[in-house]
Amino acid sequence: MEQLERYGYPALALLVLLEGIGIPTPAVSVVVAAAVLAGHGSMSLPLVAAITFAAAVVGDNLGFWLGRKAGRPAILRWGRRVGLTEPRLARAEHFFARRGRNIIVVARFIDGLRQTNGLIAGAVDLPWRQYAIRDAIGGALWTALWVSIGAFAGGNLDRVRALVHRYETPALIVAGLLLVSLLLVYVWRRRRRGTPD
């Protein structure tokens, strides 16, 4: 990635941090690319991991406080730009109220939720300590996964670059379809449970 090669660690930190406050960035690709460069010897792997983890947690917590301070009306006003509409926010609020606290750990691995989980958690008045602990666990697992993948691929730098550019869009489409399928199954099961026999 050109920005990463040109600006190094600051670019890594900024792109991961911005994603946590709801601004879509290619954070996963940047983390993998940084770890690939580290595996190739151009960057320090421990520093890549530490910066990724810190930027992820700081960004998410900034998103949380933004959601808490701005509140629901501001999120609805600006959230439409990233697909966070009123029905989606209402569903998220209901989900957080019923069982959402532990979804924070998993949210880091789901595109869309990764960018907005802090905003939503703050807007629905989830206690900050409960959010921060789960977010740190999710951030650590997410960092470990993508940094490890990049580090293992570091010996094949040119090949990995070509594969990332070639398969990034199809991989995002497949992930999106998988997420929609899981949500449809979830809705279908909920309706089935609510239907009297």
Side-chain angles (χ1 to χ4, degrees):
M1 186 154 270
E2 189 181 326
Q3 297 101 328
L4 190 61
E5 290 177 351
R6 191 169 178 186
Y7 300 109
Y9 301 113
L12 171 65
L14 183 64
L15 291 170
V16 173
L17 185 140
L18 287 175
E19 188 181 57
I21 58 174
I23 299 169
T25 69
V28 171
S29 300
V30 169
V31 171
V32 171
V36 166
L37 289 169
H40 196 63
S42 302
M43 297 178 87
S44 162
L45 190 62
L47 202 49
V48 166
I51 288 171
T52 299
F53 173 72
V57 171
V58 169
D60 287 349
N61 280 275
L62 286 173
F64 178 90
W65 288 108
L66 187 62
R68 174 69 54 89
K69 298 295 179 190
R72 215 170 176 278
I75 290 175
L76 288 173
R77 182 177 177 192
W78 301 105
R80 286 181 216 143
R81 296 180 182 192
V82 290
L84 191 57
T85 60
E86 187 162 9
R88 286 182 180 169
L89 183 59
R91 284 194 299 272
E93 288 171 336
H94 183 68
F95 192 77
F96 267 95
R98 292 197 57 205
R99 63 176 88 163
R101 293 177 183 178
N102 290 326
I103 197 66
I104 293 163
V105 176
V106 181
R108 180 137 281 286
F109 295 90
I110 301 170
D111 199 37
L113 274 181
R114 182 171 62 252
Q115 293 87 351
T116 58
N117 86 86
L119 290 167
I120 294 168
V124 300
D125 289 327
L126 190 71
W128 176 74
R129 281 188 186 176
Q130 294 180 13
Y131 175 78
I133 292 167
R134 288 166 175 82
D135 181 64
I137 293 167
L141 294 172
W142 182 81
T143 298
L145 173 68
W146 294 114
V147 168
S148 297
I149 288 172
F152 283 121
N156 299 302
L157 185 59
D158 293 330
R159 195 172 169 191
V160 169
R161 277 185 184 158
L163 286 172
V164 167
H165 285 296
R166 186 173 179 187
Y167 295 112
E168 186 174 16
T169 302
L172 288 173
I173 291 169
V174 169
L177 290 172
L178 182 60
L179 179 61
V180 168
S181 301
L182 291 171
L183 288 172
L184 288 173
V185 168
Y186 173 76
V187 169
W188 177 75
R189 285 184 178 168
R190 296 263 310 163
R191 288 187 179 171
R192 193 169 170 209
R193 270 189 244 146
T195 307
D197 293 330

